[in-house]
Amino acid sequence: MIWSGLNRQVDPALFSSMSPEKILYDFDGPQIFTFMGSFGQELLAYLCSALAGCERFIVVPTTPTVIGELERGELAVRDALTNSWIWIVDRSYSGDVLAAWAVEEASLPRTVLPEAGILLIPPDMDIDDTFASPVASLAESFFVEFHLKPEKNSSLFTNDIIFPSMRACTAFLRSAFMRFLNVEPEFVFSSAGTGSFVLRDEVRIAHDKAERLPEVVRFLTTEARTGPDNDGLESWRRLLNVLRENRVEVTIKAFRNTLPLEFIELGTSQQKEIRHRIQETRKAASPDQRIIVVDSLDVPQADDLIRVFQVAELRVAGCLVTPESLGGITPRQVSYYTRAAKLLNLLDEEDELTPGGQIFGRLPDEDQLRTCVVHFESSICGEAWIRWSVGNTLLDVRPESSADFLKDCSSGLSEDTQLRRAKTLSNWYGLLIPHHYARQRF
Amino acid sequence: MTYQPDLRFPHEWSADCPPADAIPAEGTVFRICEQESLTVQDFRTYLEMGKLPDAPPCRRAGLSVFRKRSDAEHRARLQPGFGRIVAKGTLLNEHGVTKQTGRPSHTTWWIAEGVDRVSIFSPDGEIT
């Protein structure tokens, strides 16, 4: 057997406590069992091959839920071993851990993993057997799995990234069910894995509707390929905005029990393509057809508009945008100002200066304010505010209407946040309106 | 202990091994092996191999077999790294004692001294 992927050695001490806590499969000795890693994480060990003088295990992080599913025959052993990152651990016959490596599933020899679909318990086990599993009496269940992973070169995969992304994914699926089947399912947390974060939800809905989960996912896959129509446009845009903001890639998989059915892949390149198709759809729609929904990400939260200008100026000068270079603000505020520069189309989504941003950053203050009027009016939020006000330019908008506008049209904002963002909009309005191109003409 | 009094087990085993509720070996059993030409290596216990010295000693002294062929096949699919040849054997009382020790047909066989294990078994097909 050729092991070619063992080139990322890790500290064997991480697994030094490799004595079974719970034995899941025993033959001559423990073959599949859980143990506690030295770093406090529950781990699942699977004896995959024997070498001269030692045994080789596949070791993965696990959870009590996964172990429960394995024991009840609800999860294939292979799936439990390949849902997350993988280590190979060599243990001597005497129980000492000799070496360990971090590996990818793809680098494992084919014969060291269980066959696909094989459960911990034999499939023909007599249900009257003393050791029978309750699995045969369970009704069918439908699940969705959200596989989230950070984009390449992005930062730590923190809760601040995972939770908004998860909320956006479930909101997106719920909205798809509404559009497709006119019912709203509940997504009930079922289990989670670590590493490339995996969350499994049971779809709670009338059974005949749940059965159509694969159709819904297939429908979304088609929309991803051909571009969503007007009905689906906003829910797609909301999801993509959150994923982009958090630099997250996601795969949504539908399951009947443990059987995978359909999946939709939203990697960075797919997200970009769908975004492009959404833009095309939006352009094709007449203004009357367009519904006014502004995603929270498109509503500015950077109070000081002049500081937003500084973002473009700093980038034109080749300087980094940091808390210090923006005058001593917090790192979180830096992200607000950078986001605002994107809303105004001064930066693109890859944080690069747009052609307009290049020119803008070189302009004197007065001209920046005049130019910014157009940038704001053509932003998603500015354009929506004008349209909501049944106007043509910012001059047709009442500044005191900002709270009502956000109440009517924004999505994903709490009442308090709406009020804070409304204040930001009013501030921007107050600063820009004296420099409005149409006003100066008269 | 209910097994034949003339059966002898390795003297290094503890006094309570094999366990008192083990029964005389009897009937067909299955085990997975790596190659069709069965060798003594295919039938060594953890104790004989020096594996896991801290594990329960009597359990280490026994050899695992299945009563049902399908359970052996399941093991071959669950752990393909340990061979795909099904070895079938017929145990007799003089071969030692057995006890069902797991689910569903997993049986531990405590082998009496002097038993030629390889001769009891023969290959009975390959799992494809």
Side-chain angles (χ1 to χ4, degrees), chain A residues 111-128:
Chain A
T111 55
V112 300
L113 280 168
E115 290 183 9
I118 292 294
L119 305 174
L120 198 58
I121 49 178
D124 63 342
M125 201 169 73
D126 184 354
I127 201 72
D128 294 329

Side-chain angles (χ1 to χ4, degrees), chain A residues 26 28 46 93 115 119, chain B residues 51-52 59 64 74 78 84:
Chain A
D26 188 292
D28 291 334
Y46 164 87
Y93 284 177
E115 290 183 9
L119 305 174
Chain B
K51 284 187 182 179
L52 299 184
R59 180 69 191 85
S64 288
H74 170 260
L78 182 65
R84 301 185 78 81

